[in-house]
Amino acid sequence: MADKSKSEQMKDKLFYNKKHGANLGVTADADAFCEQYKVFLDRAKTEREAVKFAVAAAKEAGFVPFDSKAKYNAGDKVYYVNRGKAVILAVIGTEPVEHGVRIAASHIDSPRLDLKPNPMYEDSEMALFKTHYYGGIKKYQWTTIPLALHGVVSRADGQTVEVHLGEDEGDPCFVVTDLLPHLAAEQSKRTLADGIRGEELNILIGSRPFLDDDASEAVKLNILSLLNEKYGMVEEDFLSAELELVPAFKARDIGFDRSMIGAYGHDDRVCAYPALMAILGCEAPKYTAVTVLADKEEIGSDGNTGLNASYLKYFITYLAEMQGGRGHTALENSKCLSADVTAAYDPTFADVLERRNAAFINYGAALAKYTGARGKSGTSDASAEFVGEIRRMLNSAGVQWQMAELGRVDLGGGGTVAMFIANLGADVIDIGVPVLSMHAPFEVVAKHDVYMVYRAISVFYQ
Ligand code: MN
Ligand code: MN
């Protein structure tokens, strides 16, 4: 081969070049990792189901329930469940906890349709549920797709029963109806945001009357009798329930080359699963490794299971105090990868992203120094030094990564849990998988990027 010209040599030396992940020789590993990720996607569509999955996997890997009064030694593995909706897993390090821990934080709630407290009604001999959407959705995307019902009902007798209907082949499922185009002339004049309104997201749940008699609301009565048979519940039990409609379809490979996965709720199970696998595979780390899978991120992280609450802080404080250290010192010395998704560059909608600072699928884990909106408002901004530390760590371990912003300046924006952990005093940077069609019922990611986020968190824990 001819020698490179002087300018080519200088370009090699000075320019920042990115390469497609297919050149890295890890495709088989990425594909294998994602087979199990798809199993997780199908089994854990809500935060409660993700916690159950994580706890079962943790027990199998030797983790035991955390006891705030116990003493733990290096190599010990513990988990702490917060109200069945968030979980912290930790492997105790050889360094004192006061010297800081390594946190990977992601969320296990995803946008969906929640039932209203008093959801059931009958109209024109059809039974329906009223919903209140959870998280940021484009409402029109949630009509005319099969939906499954997940959640819990706290009955009058004090028992909590689980509902999980619409996922198995033989199960019935549910749907939000939409207008036929023939009669949509008026609807079509609405804006896209207004095309389907919140109060139009009504779930069709039945159409046969209880008996062929003249009782009013006979269809509703029939549905309630079926629910009573199956779950022992009466209508008032809906008031103390958390019932959620999620897309009923399973995770599928996308593309002739099977390079991508389409599924409901990649945001943020596509980072939660790598964070879970990284902690399960973590043995005797130097610094205590902590994975937190949080709830409520999609609605702002407030509430006792969201990361704006104190349970992560208290957990680390307990660990530090158990060794005679101070909690706040441990937090100030801690480092965190806030593992959440970012927008992937979509050539069909190219104008919302600024190409030079956008995340591309198949280019590895996407880091974000800051998120937020309107001049970096509502975010933490990782320091140059901390970004440099993570950059060197990933480069030396051969983990492919890219730096990205979520969209063009002033076009919109978004936040993650990063700022809540940064506010505790830790160094935090966002890292995650680029997603196409984020927050849609069927989101798309590249397998390569999922694997790179797993590798990044694993290296961070070592
Ligand atoms: Mn997210
Ligand atoms: Mn989100």
Side-chain angles (χ1 to χ4, degrees), residues 82-129:
N82 182 359
R83 294 168 172 83
K85 300 200 228 180
V87 60
I88 302 175
L89 304 103
V91 181
I92 310 301
T94 49
E95 283 285 307
V97 169
E98 201 180 51
H99 292 183
V101 303
R102 299 289 176 269
I103 305 162
S106 50
H107 66 92
I108 47 179
D109 59 320
S110 299
R112 62 183 183 231
L113 305 179
D114 286 354
L115 292 199
K116 287 192 184 188
N118 195 7
M120 196 191 279
Y121 67 104
E122 174 174 342
D123 194 337
S124 313
E125 295 176 302
M126 287 185 271
L128 299 113
F129 278 150

Side-chain angles (χ1 to χ4, degrees), residues 107 111 267-268 297-298 340-341 438-439:
H107 66 92
D267 178 9
D268 186 32
E297 195 278 342
E298 293 297 356
D340 203 348
V341 300
M438 194 198 293
H439 283 207

